[in-house]
């Protein structure tokens, strides 16, 4: 299923590569490459249902979100101790540095791990080990966003928040992910209310496979500051207008949308339409080990398929910075770096 690499013209490709980029929608468990999956399976004596790395990659053919989630949760079984979580995130940051990434806000799914007996502290400590290394080694800043699994009851999400609050300083926000259909934001009003009381940032996946009405619910019932995916806002023209006015960022993941058939092809993706309507859209990579490309590849293939101009690519990178949960001085510094990288366009 791996897409052919982009053949974008050299000038825009070079601009994309040198632009400082921000990642606002990345599930750290979705960066588990088959090679590391095998190494960790070997370490822990876990039997995988695949004979080789190639067989794993060959299994990455998805019909929809659920067909992906089944494989993604199964893959997580090899993540067991603090060093595993460190190794997972360290491998991600090495790739991110090569992509000229400057800041990442990483999702993690604690319920996928705590149900197997992994402690909350083990997950957080391992991820923070790698985050500290990334800051020193590459100058990449990062933070964590804890996601609740929406296919499970709200009571599980509440218990997860309770288990995480002793480590409040180790994550900056909460989100909502997993199977969207029939699991509306309204199911999670109480847990998000508690999260807001703990002064956590709020995001939610909405309008990936679910209807535009879920985006409205995420905004009004949960207090979402950003919408993850959000591409189905298009079905509600009034909502599109409101998103343009409010500048609530949409963290769009084009290669994910293609792999999970949210859009038949990148050339039919509504990213350019939303960008040109003035929405604060950003480009992100979601689960890059599964969808065939990290952030630079997402930018390259989207630019090529939708003919984004150099100026539009700069706007997208700026939208990422503006949408980040960082201080305004940090935003100004990163926007200055983008201007420098784009000074000759
Ligand atoms: N959507 C919902 N849940 C997820 C995703 C996604 O794209 N990736 C990992 N968990
Ligand atoms: Zn996602």
């Amino acid at each position: 299923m791996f897409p052919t690499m982009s053949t974008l013209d050299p000038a825009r490709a070079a601009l994309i590569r040198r632009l400082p980029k921000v990642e606002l929608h990345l599930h750290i468990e979705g960066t588990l490459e088959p090679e590391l999956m095998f190494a960790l399976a070997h370490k822990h004596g876990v039997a995988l249902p695949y004979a080789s790395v190639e067989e794993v990659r060959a299994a990455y053919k998805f019909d929809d979100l659920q067909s992906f989630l089944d494989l993604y949760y199964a893959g997580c079984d090899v993540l067991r101790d603090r060093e595993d979580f460190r190794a997972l995130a360290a491998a991600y940051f090495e790739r991110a540095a090569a992509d000229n990434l400057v800041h990442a806000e990483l999702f993690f799914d604690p319920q996928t791990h705590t149900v197997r007996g992994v402690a909350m502290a083990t997950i957080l400590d391992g991820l923070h080990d790698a985050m500290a290394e990334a800051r020193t080694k590459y100058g990449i800043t990062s933070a964590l966003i804890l996601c609740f699994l929406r296919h499970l009851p709200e009571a599980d999400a509440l218990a997860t928040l309770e288990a995480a609050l002793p480590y409040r300083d180790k994550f900056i926000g909460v989100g909502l992910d997993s199977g969207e259909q029939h699991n509306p934001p309204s199911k999670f009003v109480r847990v998000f209310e508690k999260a807001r009381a703990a002064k956590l940032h709020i995001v939610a996946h909405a309008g990936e496979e679910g209807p535009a009405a879920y985006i409205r619910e995420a905004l009004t019932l949960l207090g979402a500051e950003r919408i993850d995916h959000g591409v189905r806002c298009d079905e509600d023209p009034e909502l599109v207008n409101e998103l343009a006015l409010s500048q609530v960022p949409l963290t769009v993941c084009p290669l994910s949308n293609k792999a999970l058939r949210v859009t038949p092809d990148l050339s039919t993706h509504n990213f350019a339409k939303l960008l040109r309507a003035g929405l604060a859209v950003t480009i992100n990579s979601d689960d890059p080990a599964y969808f065939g490309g990290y952030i630079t590849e997402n930018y390259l293939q989207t630019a090529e398929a939708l003919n984004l101009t150099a100026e539009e690519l700069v706007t997208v990178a700026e939208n990422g910075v503006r949408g980040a949960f960082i201080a305004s001085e940090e935003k100004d510094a990163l926007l200055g770096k983008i201007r420098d990288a784009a000074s000759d366009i």
Side-chain angles (χ1 to χ4, degrees):
M1 77 138 257
F2 277 70
T4 46
M5 294 294 119
S6 159
T7 53
L8 188 67
D9 66 86
R12 277 181 299 167
L15 172 66
I16 287 171
R17 291 187 200 287
R18 72 174 181 271
L19 274 174
K21 290 174 283 297
V22 165
E23 176 77 77
L24 301 178
H25 185 157
L26 178 121
H27 303 262
I28 196 63
E29 296 92 342
T31 69
L32 179 62
E33 292 285 343
E35 289 79 4
L36 183 59
M37 192 190 292
F38 265 85
L40 296 180
H42 181 72
K43 169 181 165 185
H44 295 296
V46 175
L48 292 176
Y50 311 102
S52 65
V53 161
E54 292 69 37
E55 241 184 63
V56 183
R57 289 221 162 84
Y60 291 172
K61 292 190 183 68
F62 309 115
D63 299 322
D64 54 16
L65 175 58
Q66 193 57 50
S67 63
F68 153 70
L69 290 172
D70 293 344
L71 276 192
Y72 163 87
Y73 294 131
C76 287
D77 185 37
V78 301
L79 298 166
R80 298 193 172 193
D81 62 29
R82 176 172 176 165
E83 171 53 25
D84 299 344
F85 286 93
R86 189 207 65 78
L88 173 72
Y92 165 66
F93 283 122
E94 190 179 344
R95 288 173 178 269
D99 271 355
N100 213 1
L101 195 87
V102 290
H103 177 72
E105 295 178 4
L106 309 175
F107 296 142
F108 71 112
D109 283 342
Q111 287 156 289
T112 309
H113 312 300
T114 52
V115 73
R116 299 179 290 111
V118 180
M120 186 68 77
T122 302
I123 307 165
L124 288 167
D125 288 345
L127 296 177
H128 271 273
D129 289 344
M131 290 159 69
E133 280 168 26
R135 177 147 206 166
T136 316
K137 207 163 159 186
Y138 311 118
I140 298 177
T141 55
S142 59
L144 295 178
I145 296 177
L146 182 161
C147 284
F148 303 116
L149 299 184
R150 68 198 308 157
H151 67 276
L152 297 175
E154 189 188 33
D156 290 26
L158 281 162
T160 302
L161 183 61
E162 284 308 311
L165 282 178
Y167 312 99
R168 169 67 186 82
D169 59 324
K170 293 208 181 307
F171 61 107
I172 60 163
V174 295
L176 189 63
D177 66 3
S178 187
E180 185 180 3
Q181 280 172 335
H182 314 297
N183 292 302
S186 56
K187 182 177 161 185
F188 294 94
V189 167
R190 279 159 297 249
V191 72
F192 277 83
E193 194 179 300
K194 286 210 164 155
R196 287 198 309 275
K199 303 240 178 310
L200 286 157
H201 285 291
I202 306 293
V203 298
H205 283 55
E208 178 187 22
E209 283 196 343
Y214 285 14
I215 301 174
R216 286 192 181 279
E217 280 193 12
L219 294 168
T220 57
L221 301 182
L222 306 186
E225 299 164 76
R226 297 195 298 244
I227 297 293
D228 298 314
H229 293 296
V231 290
R232 284 190 58 184
C233 66
D234 223 1
E235 294 162 12
D236 179 346
E238 188 46 42
L239 177 59
V240 171
N241 286 340
E242 288 169 28
L243 289 167
L245 264 180
S246 67
Q247 291 290 292
V248 169
L250 302 187
T251 65
V252 181
C253 306
L255 288 178
S256 164
N257 293 156
K258 183 181 167 192
L260 302 187
R261 304 193 190 181
V262 170
T263 181
D265 191 67
L266 281 187
S267 62
T268 53
H269 200 291
N270 63 4
F271 182 83
K273 180 183 169 193
L274 298 175
L275 176 67
R276 289 165 192 162
L279 277 70
V281 286
T282 63
I283 289 181
N284 308 271
S285 45
D286 210 6
D287 303 281
Y290 293 85
F291 301 147
Y294 287 74
I295 196 159
T296 293
E297 197 56 35
N298 269 276
Y299 268 79
L300 289 170
Q301 291 200 32
T302 308
E304 184 178 10
L306 299 175
N307 212 6
L308 302 182
T309 65
E311 289 76 14
E312 285 173 334
L313 289 165
V314 172
T315 299
V316 173
E318 289 172 342
N319 287 347
V321 171
R322 293 198 185 99
F325 295 137
I326 53 178
S328 58
E329 309 83 69
E330 290 172 67
K331 289 189 186 186
D332 289 345
L334 292 180
L335 291 170
K337 284 189 185 176
I338 291 176
R339 268 196 304 280
D340 291 347
S343 58
D344 62 346
I345 67 166

